[in-house]
Amino acid sequence: MRHNQLATYFVIFLMCFTSSVFSQSKKQKELEERRQELQREIRQINDLLFKNQSQKKSQTSLIEDLSYKVNVRKNLIKVTNQQANLLTREINANQKKISELRDELTTLKENYAKMILRSYKSKSEQSRIMFLLSSSNFKQAYKRIQYMTQYSKFQKEQGEAIKVKTSELQKSNKELLRQKDDKQKLIAENRVAQKELEGELNQQQSLMASINQNLSKYRNQIKEKQKEADRIDKEIEKMIREAIASSNKKAGKSSNTSSFALTPEDKALASSFVANKGKLPWPVEKGVVKVRYGKQPSPIDRTITIQSNGVRIATEKNADVRAVYKGKVLRVQAIRHGNVLVMIQHGNYITNYTNLSKVFVNPGDMVDTKQVIGKVFTNPSNGETTLKFSIWKEINTQNPADWIFQM
């Protein structure tokens, strides 16, 4: 009875321990994937925003780029710290497991040694045949045979248990060494990242000191930039309203509505577009998001709020612009200070690609996912190649990060 209870407690402990280790391993895998993503993002930032230092960027662009890089670097350090802390917990749990395994192994070996000794003494004092012959009846003799068989079986099981525990202990020791090695590598990487962050923060402070000498000038620049972005957004909304009115007029519906009159084919396309939410490809093959969707403080002056109805993606020079999903080209339009805009309709959803230097499609064309529709414009004065990308559901903007894969 006592043996069965101990076995039950051990199984429960093993199940709890295995569940805890699995949970930690899953979390460790998630953190490692996030760390790899952030490292890739930093490499892209260096390649796309800081590689060509010969071009003269404005102070505002430099501080924007540097602030972005600092934030990503801080996130990388934070995730690496989380990994190291989780490894510390795993190491402590493993050390506890090793200590318990050693104690169990010692107990098993001691019990096994006592069992062998008893068996040897029993054999020397009295042979098995005499033990059986001394039985008072057949039933007792049968029970003695069963006892000897079970005892022999139990001996073998104890021997096998010792082998299993020894193997488990060796495996745990090996795992412990790997965990300690991984932790040291993470600590070393974080030291390097911390040093790079310090350099970037010093550079950021130096730039901000220069900007603060004439802050009112930069505030005005930010406000003018925001006005220009708002103007382009209003122009896009006006084009969408015109497209809705035209579409509804053809369908014999009221032109004063803010919703498309969709054909069965349009509805199917819209459903397909929604079904791929979060899985759509990037509109450029290589890029980093400099300005995200929604309200956010300006990196120059955090008292000023920036409103972005899409994302601003920095990419490489002469980069191709790709349709993020199949659809119909609704509009190709030159915009003041925004170069050329391409608008693609996916049922009642519209994707907008602004700041193109070349366009390879025309209104009415049907395009496929990842089809090249143009080239991103590169500003000759500062070398910046930036695509403005937005998603609309009729006249309402959407957050592109919810739609584009890993944005």
Side-chain angles (χ1 to χ4, degrees):
M1 183 70 181
R2 178 176 164 76
H3 177 74
N4 289 340
Q5 282 181 329
L6 286 170
T8 304
Y9 292 149
F10 178 72
V11 169
I12 292 169
F13 164 77
L14 194 63
M15 286 173 68
C16 292
F17 182 81
T18 305
S19 174
S20 173
V21 168
F22 176 76
S23 176
Q24 286 184 338
S25 298
K26 186 183 175 184
K27 181 65 176 174
Q28 193 68 265
K29 187 181 177 183
E30 288 171 358
L31 287 170
E32 177 59 22
E33 286 174 356
R34 179 63 181 142
R35 189 172 71 90
Q36 294 289 345
E37 282 175 21
L38 289 165
Q39 285 179 332
R40 281 194 296 272
E41 192 170 358
I42 286 173
R43 285 195 294 271
Q44 289 230 69
I45 289 168
N46 286 333
D47 190 34
L48 297 173
L49 303 180
F50 293 92
K51 194 174 182 181
N52 192 0
Q53 296 292 339
S54 61
Q55 295 282 29
K56 186 67 178 174
K57 283 189 178 183
S58 66
Q59 295 282 73
T60 51
S61 287
L62 278 171
I63 202 72
E64 280 175 2
D65 294 350
L66 202 52
S67 296
Y68 176 33
K69 189 178 179 181
V70 162
N71 286 334
V72 176
R73 182 87 66 192
K74 283 179 178 177
N75 282 335
L76 176 62
I77 291 169
K78 181 183 175 182
V79 169
T80 309
N81 276 333
Q82 287 174 337
Q83 270 189 283
N85 291 336
L86 184 56
L87 267 174
T88 301
R89 291 196 293 274
E90 288 178 355
I91 287 166
N92 291 338
N94 209 1
Q95 284 174 330
K96 186 181 177 183
K97 181 190 174 187
I98 287 168
S99 178
E100 288 167 352
L101 279 171
R102 281 178 182 150
D103 291 343
E104 286 173 30
L105 194 56
T106 301
T107 304
L108 278 171
K109 285 179 177 178
E110 286 173 355
N111 291 339
Y112 189 69
K114 288 175 185 176
M115 194 187 302
I116 296 297
L117 185 62
R118 280 197 301 269
S119 178
Y120 175 77
K121 284 180 179 179
S122 174
K123 283 178 182 177
S124 62
E125 290 169 4
Q126 183 180 34
S127 70
R128 287 190 173 199
I129 295 172
M130 288 302 294
F131 180 59
L132 291 172
L133 289 174
S134 64
S135 303
S136 57
N137 53 50
F138 178 77
K139 188 177 180 181
Q140 191 183 52
Y142 179 71
K143 284 187 175 180
R144 286 185 178 185
I145 289 169
Q146 279 188 314
Y147 167 75
M148 287 190 292
T149 304
Q150 287 174 353
Y151 192 76
S152 176
K153 185 183 176 184
F154 186 63
Q155 276 184 317
K156 287 179 182 177
E157 285 175 354
Q158 289 292 93
E160 285 300 316
I162 288 170
K163 285 181 185 177
V164 170
K165 288 292 173 193
T166 303
S167 174
E168 198 176 342
L169 182 61
Q170 288 170 347
K171 188 180 175 182
S172 294
N173 279 324
K174 192 175 179 181
E175 177 66 11
L176 181 63
L177 289 173
R178 184 198 63 78
Q179 287 170 334
K180 286 182 176 178
D181 186 51
D182 286 349
K183 183 181 174 182
Q184 288 307 312
K185 284 177 182 175
L186 288 172
I187 290 169
E189 282 185 26
N190 239 9
R191 284 199 194 104
V192 173
Q194 197 71 47
K195 194 172 181 181
E196 287 172 340
L197 178 63
E198 286 171 12
E200 287 158 3
L201 286 170
N202 288 336
Q203 192 180 351
Q204 189 182 41
Q205 286 171 3
S206 177
L207 275 169
M208 282 306 301
S210 173
I211 286 169
N212 284 333
Q213 289 177 2
N214 198 355
L215 190 57
S216 59
K217 170 190 153 186
Y218 291 105
R219 278 176 179 164
N220 289 334
Q221 285 180 1
I222 295 164
K223 288 172 183 176
E224 283 301 315
K225 208 171 181 179
Q226 182 65 56
K227 278 182 186 177
E228 191 60 33
D230 292 342
R231 186 191 62 76
I232 291 171
D233 285 336
K234 282 177 184 175
E235 207 168 326
I236 291 169
E237 186 183 333
K238 183 185 174 187
M239 290 181 204
I240 293 171
R241 285 185 182 277
E242 287 171 357
I244 291 171
S246 174
S247 172
N248 292 348
K249 188 177 179 181
K250 285 178 186 176
K253 301 283 181 74
S254 170
S255 60
N256 295 322
T257 179
S258 57
S259 300
F260 280 102
L262 300 177
T263 64
E265 292 81 8
D266 290 334
K267 287 178 182 177
L269 181 58
S271 295
S272 178
F273 184 76
V274 173
N276 283 276
K277 189 174 183 178
K279 296 180 283 187
L280 299 176
W282 281 58
V284 287
E285 193 171 344
K286 190 177 180 182
V288 291
V289 178
K290 278 186 66 172
V291 178
R292 294 198 167 270
Y293 176 86
K295 288 183 178 180
Q296 53 212 284
S298 165
I300 307 294
D301 184 349
R302 300 190 74 80
T303 62
I304 299 175
T305 301
I306 296 169
Q307 172 64 43
S308 175
N309 286 334
V311 290
R312 214 163 78 219
I313 304 170
T315 186
E316 54 195 344
K317 191 176 180 180
N318 207 35
D320 288 333
V321 182
R322 313 181 300 181
V324 298
Y325 201 67
K326 61 185 177 181
K328 182 177 75 176
V329 178
L330 194 62
R331 194 99 173 228
V332 175
Q333 180 76 40
I335 295 179
R336 184 166 58 91
H337 302 309
N339 293 298
V340 183
L341 170 146
V342 172
M343 199 178 278
I344 299 175
Q345 184 180 359
H346 319 273
N348 59 335
Y349 287 88
I350 293 163
T351 51
N352 290 286
Y353 312 77
T354 310
N355 202 34
L356 277 63
S357 60
K358 293 179 183 176
V359 176
F360 307 138
V361 291
N362 296 299
D365 288 353
M366 298 303 294
V367 295
D368 291 322
T369 305
K370 288 189 177 182
Q371 181 177 327
V372 175
I373 59 171
K375 296 276 186 184
V376 186
F377 175 76
T378 299
N379 190 323
S381 63
N382 56 26
E384 289 183 355
T385 307
T386 307
L387 175 73
K388 294 171 185 175
F389 174 76
S390 60
I391 301 177
W392 297 62
K393 184 181 180 183
E394 285 149 348
I395 58 169
N396 299 305
T397 60
Q398 305 276 303
N399 186 351
D402 295 336
W403 294 82
I404 306 298
F405 180 68
Q406 289 187 351
M407 180 170 277

